Amino acid sequence: MAKVKGAITVNVERCKGCNLCVVACPTNTLALQPNEVNDRGYHYAYMANPDNCTGCCSCAWVCPDACIEVYRVKVD
Amino acid sequence: MEIQDIIRPENKVYSKPELLDEVHMHYCPGCSHGVIHKLLAEVIAEMGLTDKTIGVSPVGCAVFAYNYIDVDWVEAAHGRAPAVATAVSRLWPENVVFTYQGDGDMSAIGTAESIHAANRGENIVMVFVNNAIYGMTGGQMAPTTLVGQKTATTPYGRRIDLNGHPLEITNLMAILDGTCYVTRQSVHTPANVRKTKAALKKAFENALAKKGTSVVEVVATCNSGWKMSPEKSNEWMAEHMFAKYPLGDLKNE
Amino acid sequence: MKEEVRLMKGNEAIAHAAIRFGFDGYFGYPITPQSEVLETLEELMPWETTGMVVLQAESEVAAINMVYGGAASGKAVMTSSSSPGVSLKQEGISYIAAASLPALILNVMRGGPGLGTIQPSQADYFQATKGGGHGDYHLIVLAPSTVQEMVDFVGLGMDLAFKYTNPAMILADGIVGQMMEKVVLPEQRPRRTEEEIRRQCPWAADGRKDSRKRNVITSLELESSRMEIINHQLQARYREIEKNETRWEEIDVEGADYLIVAFGSIARICDKAKELAAEKGIKVGIVRPITLWPFPSEAIRKAAEGKKGVLCVELNAGQMIEDVRLAIHDSLPVEHFGRLGGIIPSPDEVVTALEEKLINK
């Protein structure tokens, strides 16, 4: 089967650091910024292990603030 | 392959629905309302109903739904959304009307309006968010608060002798001949979110087809009211709320 | 439907008028003494002729919120009830006023307080004119004294409501609701088309056609500075209504020694009392407020000039008298006469009251 690679972007200012995307991610790609915070003081989510991402959208589905955009591409 | 090569417009598979405003939603981090708003925004747009949909927002945390989903809205007095929706729906039969109600709105002060609108089989969608607590006013007991559950007005846990039994309002709705579709969903896992979206879509289709009232209950969390992290709230919900409010269709005609 | 002359009850006339003035919807609930409004509408089935929606709600609370929903979507809608039912509607009425929505509410008053009696009363004057709900707001309040005015005020009430995007109330007493009289029913006014509604009410929540900006009908405003502005806008509208829409009737005020102020059907009883007083050489003039809000203060102040005293006759314990006193600034004696419990005074009781309270004092 063709290999699939994914990646996400997070709307940093919109994110409230609720951690639900991190919990939902099946490939342990995401984490909350340990030190960085956005303008409202939330530790926003980011791809801690970008290579793991398969673009499955789990994070985007559960995100209560629609902060996540998901990209997916086939690689041979 | 570098991330920059993946993150390109042609590779995008998911983004914030257009109908969801840019303004940040005021809900607490992890609140189910936000997910439900996102799904409504997706369903309304995908069904091409943007210019025909009128939402009726409740008094509760979700009163400000009208600031977030880009359709016409009428903000109702606490509990009266089904009555407001009844009139808008009957006076504008070509439009699609939905109410967005919390557990206090639907099963406390608005019990009569909710049951009678459904009993009349109004062709509306009732989105009912059941997080077993009054979020906006600071975490007080709701009719759906579980036995033993601590809230601002049941500080030692809800007691049947003092506060009565948790009200399964959706079960009542299911026995009314006016309802065509009554379901209980949740938005705490990707799979459940997708099921909730499908349920909302079915409900809006029913309204368009004038099949009667559809009730979509979303068993939801209230992190600040329950005093738990969003992750813990989801776990507590799955263990305790689903026992009293089991997910699945109660009616689907 | 052409103009028609009929003999009918005030309540039935309201139903015919609602259809003929092109209302889009009526949402009601049974309560004596005004159930005939809903009964007549259900009998006439206007949904088959003009397309008007008629719905019996599960409560007065639901009914007023249906009116709120209908009005919020630009439609011409009304409800009717009687005193206890109108109390239940107060929250909804405050929302309608706060959201600047046109709507018509009929109250056919019965004796209170509490469950009270089903006999006539005028004891909801304060509730109607001072605001029975919360917050600073006003309804345009019209007080019919004849079955014809019951009909006319349905049209006038709705026109004023749309002119000022403000709710209007017809405050009728049980007498004029239950009384049968000759009445001229107006020609059918066609209901507005959807395009007309969208043009007349661009603010309405009726669906974002041709992707206009969304309309949100709400009365919630947590930002105090903006809420104050909203309140100032409401107050400015009320001053405008006071300036343009105050209505009253004067009967033989010129040259009279005493003035009677009375509204609704009671003013007709006082008209007879005026005749009886004249036979005793007592010259009486009458001022009949037609809009109870805006109250005809200026007219009453002028009418009272040079008079020896004013008698307010109202089926309550003395409510309108406060507005009369405010208008006259206590420049002359102002007394009240009114029977309670639903008892309707006879004309000679009014004359006796005039004599005892003002003339022979």
Side-chain angles (χ1 to χ4, degrees), chain C residues 223-299:
Chain C
E223 176 54 53
S224 301
S225 53
R226 278 205 297 267
M227 192 56 186
E228 185 170 54
I229 291 166
I230 290 168
N231 269 281
H232 282 158
Q233 286 164 347
L234 290 178
Q235 291 302 319
R237 171 188 305 150
Y238 300 145
R239 299 297 85 73
E240 194 63 19
I241 296 171
E242 282 164 350
K243 201 172 75 192
N244 305 331
E245 308 301 342
T246 304
R247 289 169 167 76
W248 71 94
E249 182 189 11
E250 288 180 17
I251 309 166
D252 300 339
V253 165
E254 269 326 303
D257 295 325
Y258 293 93
L259 192 65
I260 287 181
V261 182
F263 69 95
S265 55
I266 299 309
R268 299 171 67 175
I269 293 170
C270 295
D271 203 20
K272 184 63 182 174
K274 179 167 86 65
E275 274 174 40
L276 300 178
E279 287 162 10
K280 294 183 164 182
I282 308 166
K283 280 189 286 178
V284 173
I286 297 177
V287 172
R288 174 171 74 96
I290 295 174
T291 54
L292 299 182
W293 193 89
F295 190 71
S297 305
E298 191 46 30

Side-chain angles (χ1 to χ4, degrees), chain B residues 97-143:
Chain B
V97 184
F98 72 95
T99 66
Y100 193 104
Q101 300 173 251
D103 36 47
D105 206 276
M106 167 79 86
S107 64
I109 190 169
T111 308
E113 285 79 1
S114 302
I115 285 181
H116 281 280
N119 194 54
R120 287 191 297 266
E122 303 295 345
N123 294 304
I124 60 176
V125 176
M126 286 183 176
V127 179
F128 164 38
V129 181
N130 175 15
N131 56 18
I133 203 156
Y134 281 26
M136 180 174 98
T137 40
Q140 295 79 15
M141 177 182 80

Side-chain angles (χ1 to χ4, degrees), chain B residues 160-173:
Chain B
I160 290 175
D161 58 343
L162 292 180
N163 316 107
H165 301 265
L167 175 54
E168 295 162 69
I169 185 84
T170 301
N171 297 52
L172 296 180
M173 304 298 253

Side-chain angles (χ1 to χ4, degrees), chain C residues 190-206:
Chain C
R191 281 180 54 232
R192 294 164 303 157
T193 63
E194 284 185 15
E195 289 65 36
E196 282 165 343
I197 291 174
R198 292 191 199 287
R199 248 197 330 287
Q200 186 186 18
C201 309
W203 43 263
D206 50 18

